[in-house]
């Protein structure tokens, strides 16, 4: 019986390890996503909307992709650019911000900007248009800042 008990113990430990590995892959709060957010060095709202060297030079090689005209982004609102996976907002007149369009809760794409918030349709997480911080859960981490350049009336990815 000693061999049977040891065999069961080893099998149970292996099953527990496997279950823990599988379950840890299901969660998205923390882990590498949190490390990637923290490693970017971009605090929400940092150096966004400032003309970049590429934009000032006419955006030649390596210049940003054109997103919109400034008039396309409503004051107190914003616009989601699905293909580029970015949200551009204008919290106050002439102040443009950009954030990742990927919700930090479970990776869904945010869909709309409404009532001063960026809205994720999957679980209704809300993020402030001014800095991407969480205005309503279940998300617990802010949207990652994205870099844009505003040159005249054009907004481009930096």
């Amino acid at each position: 019986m000693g061999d049977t008990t040891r065999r069961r113990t080893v099998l149970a430990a292996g099953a527990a390890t496997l279950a823990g590995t599988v379950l840890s892959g299901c969660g998205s709060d923390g882990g590498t996503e949190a490390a990637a957010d923290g490693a970017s060095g971009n605090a929400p709202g940092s150096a966004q909307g400032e003309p970049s060297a590429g934009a000032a030079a006419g955006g030649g090689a390596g210049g940003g992709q054109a997103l919109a005209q400034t008039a396309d982004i409503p004051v107190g609102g914003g616009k989601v650019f699905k293909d580029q996976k970015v949200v551009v907002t204008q919290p106050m007149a002439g102040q443009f911000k950009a954030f990742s369009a990927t919700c930090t809760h479970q990776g869904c794409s945010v869909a709309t900007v409404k009532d001063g918030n960026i809205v994720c349709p999957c679980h209704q997480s809300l993020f402030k248009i001014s800095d991407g911080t969480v205005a309503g859960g279940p998300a617990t981490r802010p949207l990652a800042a994205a870099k844009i350049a505003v040159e005249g009336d054009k907004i481009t990815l930096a």
Side-chain angles (χ1 to χ4, degrees):
M1 276 234 288
D3 288 337
T4 304
T5 303
R6 275 185 268 171
R7 193 173 311 139
R8 285 184 186 159
T9 302
V10 169
L11 287 174
T17 301
L18 179 62
T21 302
V22 169
L23 290 176
S24 69
C26 293
S28 64
D29 287 342
T32 42
E33 235 178 39
D37 287 349
S40 70
N42 289 338
S46 65
Q48 296 177 44
E50 300 294 324
S52 68
Q65 178 180 8
L67 286 176
Q69 300 290 316
T70 55
D72 296 337
I73 312 300
V75 175
K79 185 173 180 180
V80 178
F81 297 89
K82 286 186 178 192
D83 291 342
Q84 294 82 4
K85 297 181 182 174
V86 69
V87 182
V88 177
T89 65
Q90 187 176 188
M92 296 187 297
Q95 180 187 43
F96 296 91
K97 304 281 185 165
F99 307 98
S100 167
T102 303
C103 180
T104 58
H105 175 236
Q106 288 191 342
C108 294
S109 293
V110 298
T112 58
V113 179
K114 182 179 177 185
D115 299 326
N117 292 308
I118 300 164
V119 183
C120 178
C122 293
H123 301 102
Q124 303 307 308
S125 288
L126 303 173
F127 302 91
K128 296 178 187 176
I129 63 169
S130 59
D131 59 7
T133 57
V134 177
T140 59
R141 292 176 287 121
L143 292 175
K147 293 190 182 213
I148 56 171
V150 179
E151 184 69 27
D153 65 348
K154 293 184 175 133
I155 301 172
T156 58
L157 287 173

